[in-house]
């Protein structure tokens, strides 16, 4: 199954420069329907207002971290199935394991480029079941 490049994507990061970088990388990959939020709390508000096909979130944010956002989303039946990519500067094994156990769809360590982002997104959507015509 190919990725629907028209689906809405929510980018969550408290650092405006990183939001711009991720937006630009998403555009390079082919996405155009991109919103952003400055932390987990703002992201939950956005998620209550609109359906997103993908959430890409930084781990380290205040007041609500990306990890806390992930746990909130997985606990909410309306949001539990939304694909979630965690981005972090730290590649600590315990963080990766914690994110996987909390239900993260994929994980990216900074710095990264458009090809890495595309491969992480493709890996999520290739696993989805397809319907026969």
């Amino acid at each position: 199954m190919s990725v629907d490049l028209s689906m809405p994507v929510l980018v969550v990061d408290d650092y405006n420069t990183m939001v711009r970088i991720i937006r630009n990388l998403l555009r390079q990959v082919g996405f155009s329907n991109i919103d952003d939020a400055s932390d987990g709390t703002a992201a939950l508000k956005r998620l209550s207002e609109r359906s997103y096909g993908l959430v890409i979130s930084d781990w380290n944010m205040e007041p609500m971290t990306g990890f806390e956002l992930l746990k909130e989303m997985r606990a909410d039946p309306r949001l539990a199935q939304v694909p979630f990519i965690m981005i972090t500067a730290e590649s600590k094994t315990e963080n990766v394991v914690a994110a996987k156990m909390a239900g993260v769809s994929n994980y990216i360590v900074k710095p990264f480029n458009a090809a890495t982002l595309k491969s992480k997104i493709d890996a999520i959507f290739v696993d989805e079941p397809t319907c026969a015509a």
Side-chain angles (χ1 to χ4, degrees):
M1 175 180 179
S2 62
V3 178
D4 178 5
L5 297 175
S6 67
M7 74 176 162
V9 178
L10 180 61
V11 176
V12 189
D13 200 308
D14 58 351
Y15 188 45
N16 284 335
T17 301
M18 197 64 206
V19 170
R20 279 197 310 273
I21 290 168
I22 296 169
R23 276 180 170 274
N24 287 336
L25 293 174
L26 284 166
R27 283 191 195 104
Q28 286 177 38
V29 172
F31 290 94
S32 58
N33 195 350
I34 307 162
D35 290 334
D36 60 79
S38 59
D39 67 76
T41 305
L44 286 173
K45 184 175 187 316
R46 286 257 190 196
L47 287 158
S48 72
E49 298 167 349
R50 183 176 189 195
S51 293
Y52 288 93
L54 175 64
V55 173
I56 301 174
S57 178
D58 186 38
W59 182 300
N60 297 308
M61 299 179 291
E62 293 291 334
M64 180 188 269
T65 68
F67 185 66
E68 292 165 334
L69 170 62
L70 172 63
K71 291 193 296 187
E72 289 279 334
M73 286 179 63
R74 294 304 181 242
D76 183 334
R78 296 171 298 120
L79 304 174
Q81 299 303 314
V82 177
F84 191 109
I85 295 177
M86 186 74 74
I87 296 176
T88 184
E90 300 180 30
S91 59
K92 293 180 186 170
T93 304
E94 59 267 24
N95 287 4
V96 176
V97 170
K100 281 288 187 190
M101 293 191 67
V104 77
S105 305
N106 222 322
Y107 198 90
I108 300 176
V109 178
K110 297 176 195 173
F112 61 96
N113 58 24
T116 299
L117 181 59
K118 182 179 185 325
S119 71
K120 297 291 185 170
I121 292 170
D122 287 347
I124 293 169
F125 290 98
V126 79
D127 291 338
E128 286 190 347
T130 57
C131 296

